[in-house]
Amino acid sequence: MQNEKGQGVSHATDSQLPGKVQEKVPAGIEKQVPDALHDTGSNQETGKVSHAIGESKVPQAIQEGLPEKVERMVPESIHPTGDGK
């Protein structure tokens, strides 16, 4: 049963987090986890998206978790964003 904070159920369609963790975390926090680790479909809302325009050597969950500013600082040979660095 879900409480007023969204605890008690998972809001993910696919997750690498243990079930008990999914149930205990408030829904607002749960949506902050990158969708590559815990898919709540909230990446577009939270800004946790990859800005790579080609194949990246950085794991998807890290791409989604990094702030855009940091993601664009990674060399193009590792994580192509089109910034030419």
Side-chain angles (χ1 to χ4, degrees), residues 4-63:
E4 69 280 352
K5 294 181 182 175
Q7 295 167 299
V9 297
S10 175
H11 299 92
T13 56
D14 185 36
S15 181
Q16 295 180 26
L17 300 178
K20 291 293 181 188
V21 172
Q22 295 178 47
E23 293 172 5
K24 292 188 183 294
V25 175
I29 301 293
E30 192 177 0
K31 290 179 183 267
Q32 295 297 317
V33 177
D35 282 350
L37 291 176
H38 185 70
D39 191 359
T40 59
S42 62
N43 271 8
Q44 292 299 332
E45 299 167 21
T46 62
K48 295 194 177 297
V49 296
S50 174
H51 296 91
I53 57 171
E55 189 171 329
S56 176
K57 295 177 182 163
V58 177
Q60 187 68 30
I62 294 174
Q63 292 178 45

